[in-house]
Amino acid sequence: MFKYTIKRLLTMIPVVLVISILIFGVVKAMPGDEVTTYLGPGSRASEQTRMEVREKLGLDKSLPEQYVRWLGRVATGDLGTSVALRKPVSEIIGSYIWNTFYLNVLALIIALIFAIPVGIKQAVKKGSAFDNFWTVFSLLGISVPTFFFALVLIFYVALNFGLPLSGMRDTMLSSFGYQSAWQEFCDVAVHSILPVTVLAFGSFATFSRYVRNSMVEVINMDYVRTARAKGLKEKTVIYKHAFKNAQIPLVTLLGMYIPSLFSGAVILETVFVWPGIGKVLIDAVNQRDTSLIMACLVFSAILMILGNLLSDLCYSLVDPRVKVDG
């Protein structure tokens, strides 16, 4: 497994390079100008000043040379400087990425806590009213757009119960300073209710369907019937024998979810003005902030590749029949 992991990590290098080239080309083809962002909207700078800024930002070079210079900086750990925020990109990402991670991990945990037992019970009671209800519920969770469900919660829940509509913290409390860590924890928790609910709703729908479908396939296999014939308790048959062998699709899905834990829920963070990396990316695209866009997108691509690798490695742990070849 160690050799297989090293081999996969080495093959990631050319893949990431190709992805970065494609992202760089798309970003540079976007309408807009980094010079205008750097000087500020409505700037009446002379053409000479604009040329000096272009030279300072390295925009006077050809696109291949610009990419090579960007790649050289990244290789030394320098992700560049945001032309809009005038801060190092690494500092910006470090400031916002954990807000996104907190939001997505909390939603994922809540979704799994409910999705696994519900999906298992659906499979056990296939065709029953319980199964039909949660099947319709999960279809709604998959079909309803994130922003629509978020708006429904804002109008029918937040406004009626006085829940905060945006942000991660209360502006007044955070500006004057929290009296205790517990007060800050409660403030963040209350602000998290709506976005976490929206994220958990969609994740629950997906995970419960995966668990149900994989359990339906496994629950009628010979070894499950043999376990029942031996007189084992139904809970032991379902949870120890059947569910143990129905985890591979779930592991695959969890591997695909890894990038979203850090890369952010772009639409959700925009609706709730959540200070996460997804909102940072949207702002960077609107402001034509190339260094910040490149860092966010390439980072997401790397996480996606690592997620696939982690899924493959987990196969051999979940199912001994699946072997990785080094």
Side-chain angles (χ1 to χ4, degrees):
M1 183 179 292
F2 177 77
K3 292 182 179 179
Y4 174 80
T5 303
I6 297 299
K7 182 179 178 181
R8 286 287 299 270
L9 290 174
L10 291 176
T11 58
M12 282 176 54
I13 297 176
V15 174
V16 172
L17 285 175
V18 172
I19 291 174
S20 66
I21 292 173
L22 294 175
I23 294 175
F24 189 83
V26 171
V27 171
K28 287 297 181 180
M30 291 167 51
D33 187 11
E34 287 179 80
V35 176
T36 302
T37 302
Y38 184 88
L39 294 173
S43 174
R44 297 183 179 181
S46 63
E47 188 61 31
Q48 178 65 28
T49 302
R50 296 181 67 87
M51 290 179 63
E52 292 175 356
V53 172
R54 287 184 63 84
E55 184 177 352
K56 179 180 179 180
L57 297 177
L59 301 176
D60 57 328
K61 305 294 191 296
S62 63
L63 287 181
E65 189 173 353
Q66 289 182 44
Y67 172 77
V68 171
R69 292 178 60 165
W70 173 84
L71 188 62
R73 290 197 306 268
V74 171
T76 61
D78 180 11
L79 300 180
T81 303
S82 167
V83 295
L85 302 177
R86 306 294 178 89
K87 293 181 180 179
V89 171
S90 56
E91 181 181 331
I92 297 171
I93 293 178
S95 300
Y96 291 96
I97 195 169
W98 295 112
N99 297 339
T100 294
F101 181 75
Y102 156 77
L103 193 69
N104 285 282
V105 166
L106 185 58
L108 180 61
I109 292 173
I110 293 174
L112 288 175
I113 289 175
F114 290 98
I116 291 177
V118 168
I120 292 175
K121 193 170 183 180
Q122 279 186 265
V124 173
K125 297 187 175 183
K126 181 183 177 182
S128 65
F130 181 89
D131 180 32
N132 294 333
F133 172 81
W134 287 108
T135 297
V136 174
F137 187 86
S138 62
L139 287 175
L140 285 175
I142 296 173
S143 305
V144 174
T146 302
F147 73 91
F148 178 78
F149 185 49
L151 293 177
V152 169
L153 287 183
I154 289 174
F155 283 107
Y156 294 101
V157 178
L159 295 180
N160 291 325
F161 293 92
L163 294 175
L165 303 178
S166 62
M168 185 177 179
R169 291 177 172 85
D170 184 273
T171 306
M172 294 294 292
L173 288 176
S174 59
S175 59
F176 287 102
Y178 294 100
Q179 296 179 358
S180 64
W182 174 251
Q183 186 184 33
E184 182 179 5
F185 172 81
C186 292
D187 187 30
V188 174
V190 171
H191 281 77
S192 306
I193 292 176
L194 292 182
V196 166
T197 301
V198 175
L199 282 175
F201 177 66
S203 299
F204 166 84
T206 303
F207 283 122
S208 62
R209 285 182 62 81
Y210 267 78
V211 172
R212 177 196 180 277
N213 293 337
S214 60
M215 281 292 295
V216 166
E217 293 179 5
V218 170
I219 208 168
N220 293 319
M221 289 188 173
D222 292 339
Y223 68 88
V224 176
R225 288 196 291 266
T226 302
R228 285 197 178 104
K230 290 181 178 179
L232 296 177
K233 294 181 179 180
E234 186 65 15
K235 286 186 177 180
T236 303
V237 173
I238 296 300
Y239 288 95
K240 185 177 180 180
H241 294 276
F243 181 63
K244 182 180 179 181
N245 292 282
Q247 293 178 20
I248 288 185
L250 188 60
V251 169
T252 306
L253 194 59
L254 285 172
M256 295 174 63
Y257 262 70
I258 289 177
S260 67
L261 298 181
F262 292 94
S263 58
V266 177
I267 297 176
L268 186 71
E269 291 180 2
T270 303
V271 172
F272 290 108
V273 198
W274 185 268
I277 202 68
K279 188 175 184 303
V280 168
L281 176 58
I282 289 294
D283 293 340
V285 171
N286 292 332
Q287 296 168 338
R288 192 63 155 73
D289 199 340
T290 301
S291 295
L292 190 51
I293 297 173
M294 288 292 298
C296 291
L297 294 182
V298 173
F299 181 61
S300 297
I302 293 174
L303 287 175
M304 180 64 74
I305 297 172
L306 289 175
N308 290 333
L309 172 59
L310 184 60
S311 295
D312 293 340
L313 295 177
C314 288
Y315 284 166
S316 61
L317 300 177
V318 175
D319 190 346
R321 295 172 299 178
V322 179
K323 300 294 182 182
V324 291
D325 186 10

